[in-house]
């Protein structure tokens, strides 16, 4: 069992988080080839990351093992469609645990931290989020902490159903 510590992400985590985030994006592209990661340089990532840290309605936490990172989570508050209540919900934009640290409760601990943060946000009482249908591990994780399928996002090429997906 690895000793890890969950803490809020800080600016100095930027370069390490960029590496983890690239791993996450590569993972998603491998799970489903319709996911095409846009090229994002480390410098661009760092600028965006600083903005996220400054946003009161967003939060990011890392799982630190010694001086390196085993995983991270990023949460934010989103507006719902204007015709559906409640007006806002919490969402998890990114969640990643490095392969060698998996199945040790790190994702669960990261999610608990985001949940605590989301509870402190006025008017927010639930989570909604997108997940890749083909990612069985992710589905297993979300199910294990109480998520259930809600709205499904469908995909089709403009050329028609007979074209390759
Ligand atoms: C999904 C992911 C975040 C889980 O991280 P983790 O730290 O291994 O998860 P935990 O150890 O906290 O697991 C908690 C529970 O979730 C479930 N779970 C986790 N991984 C699972 C898997 N591969 N298959 C089925 N269930 C799984 C189990 O019930 C597990 O409890 P258990 O180990 O006692 O059986 C990790 O596998 C990952 O980073 N995957 C790639 C990126 C990703 O899918 N991100 C989430 C989508 S946004």
């Amino acid at each position: 069992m690895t000793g890890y510590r969950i803490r809020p992400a800080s600016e100095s985590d930027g370069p390490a988080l960029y590496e983890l985030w690239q791993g996450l994006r590569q993972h998603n592209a491998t799970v489903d080839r319709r996911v095409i990661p846009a090229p994002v340089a480390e410098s661009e990532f760092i600028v965006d990351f600083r903005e996220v840290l400054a946003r009161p309605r967003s939060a990011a936490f890392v799982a630190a093992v010694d001086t390196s990172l085993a995983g991270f989570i990023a949460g934010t508050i989103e507006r719902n469609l204007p015709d559906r209540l409640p007006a806002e919900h919490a969402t998890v934009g990114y969640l990643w645990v490095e392969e060698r640290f998996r199945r040790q409760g790190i994702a669960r601990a990261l999610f608990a931290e985001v949940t605590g943060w989301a509870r402190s946000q006025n008017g927010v009482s639930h989570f909604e989020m997108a997940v890749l249908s083909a990612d069985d591990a992710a589905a297993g994780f979300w199910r294990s902490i109480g998520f259930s399928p809600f709205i499904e996002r469908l995909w089709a090429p403009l050329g028609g159903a007979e074209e390759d997906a």
Side-chain angles (χ1 to χ4, degrees):
M1 208 61 172
T2 310
Y4 62 87
R5 189 169 72 90
I6 309 291
R7 59 165 175 77
S10 66
E11 244 186 82
S12 61
D13 293 317
L17 276 176
Y18 177 69
E19 293 305 317
L20 265 56
W21 183 67
Q22 292 286 59
L24 183 163
R25 297 197 318 143
Q26 187 51 49
H27 165 84
N28 287 343
T30 305
V31 165
D32 192 319
R33 67 191 173 93
R34 291 170 294 184
V35 176
I36 304 167
V40 177
E42 182 175 325
S43 54
E44 295 171 299
F45 173 85
I46 300 281
V47 169
D48 288 349
F49 176 55
R50 278 199 200 114
E51 283 175 16
V52 168
L53 290 181
R55 250 181 245 147
R57 299 286 267 175
S58 294
F61 298 92
V62 297
V65 174
D66 300 324
T67 54
S68 54
L69 299 184
F72 73 100
I73 193 166
T76 192
I77 306 303
E78 275 183 342
R79 288 202 69 74
N80 215 340
L81 289 173
D83 67 342
R84 185 160 62 85
L85 293 174
E88 293 183 324
H89 55 253
T91 193
V92 171
Y94 297 110
L95 168 62
W96 174 258
V97 174
E98 290 280 85
E99 243 172 275
R100 64 188 182 284
F101 295 115
R102 288 184 188 165
R103 300 310 281 263
Q104 302 182 50
I106 294 181
R108 200 189 291 263
L110 285 165
F111 181 73
E113 214 63 39
V114 161
T115 303
W117 167 79
R119 283 202 183 111
S120 73
Q121 303 295 306
N122 274 343
V124 175
S125 58
H126 77 289
F127 279 97
E128 285 183 31
M129 46 173 282
V131 62
L132 286 177
S133 302
D135 197 333
D136 294 333
F141 171 72
W142 293 115
R143 256 198 320 273
S144 82
I145 56 167
F147 279 74
S148 56
F150 178 38
I151 296 168
E152 194 178 358
R153 185 191 295 255
L154 302 179
W155 190 102
L158 272 181
E162 69 282 3
E163 240 180 51
D164 251 0

